Amino acid sequence: MSETIFGKIAAGEIPADIVYQDDEIVAFRDLSPQAPTHVLVIPRKPIRTLNDAAPEDAELLGKLFLAAAKVAAHEGIAEAGYRVVVNCNAAAGQTVFHLHLHVLGGRPLQWPPG
Ligand code: AMP
């Protein structure tokens, strides 16, 4: 199941700067970082968008957030603070249709976002 670039990263078919992985999740650095720390956390399972997550994905979604917190701790941004973002579909700017959490930190982040 490697129909998107993230599916190919999860399958090991193209390289990425992986910071965490287990049997269900892969986390890697964004190619175009928007903050000093910008890591993407994805399920190996190819869910297109948050809209496509099903009730049986509930445990996996929880694990994605726990992995995001683990990444933040490992990156040393947990105490200062960080942001976890999921862009869903065009109006939010989603460009890769494989569900992913953006973990952003290492600088002050504006709220509300643009
Ligand atoms: P989104 O707009 O939420 O779909 O975010 C997609 C993100 O994937 C963007 O921040 C891109 O910079 C990032 N991206 C695209 N291709 C790659 C890649 N091969 N490796 C790492 N990050 C990527």
Side-chain angles (χ1 to χ4, degrees), residues 5-6 9 14-16 28-34 38 40 86-87 92-97 100 102:
I5 195 141
F6 290 178
I9 288 172
I14 63 167
F28 51 94
R29 295 193 193 283
D30 197 293
L31 264 189
S32 179
Q34 303 301 310
H38 188 172
L40 303 171
V86 178
N87 294 325
Q94 184 175 5
T95 57
V96 180
F97 288 85
H100 50 282
H102 295 257

Side-chain angles (χ1 to χ4, degrees), residues 76-93:
I77 59 172
E79 295 308 318
Y82 61 98
R83 186 169 294 161
V84 178
V85 173
V86 178
N87 294 325
C88 183
N89 276 337

Side-chain angles (χ1 to χ4, degrees), residues 3 28 33 37 43 46 51-52 67 74 78-79 88 95 100 104 107 113-114:
E3 65 278 4
F28 51 94
T37 291
N51 291 341
D52 299 296
H74 190 257
E79 295 308 318
C88 183
T95 57
H100 50 282
L104 296 146
R107 66 167 171 82

Side-chain angles (χ1 to χ4, degrees), residues 3-26:
E3 65 278 4
T4 70
I5 195 141
F6 290 178
K8 289 185 168 70
I9 288 172
E13 293 169 9
I14 63 167
D17 187 354
I18 292 172
V19 298
Y20 173 81
Q21 60 181 321
D22 61 30
D23 57 340
E24 293 180 285
I25 290 168
V26 183

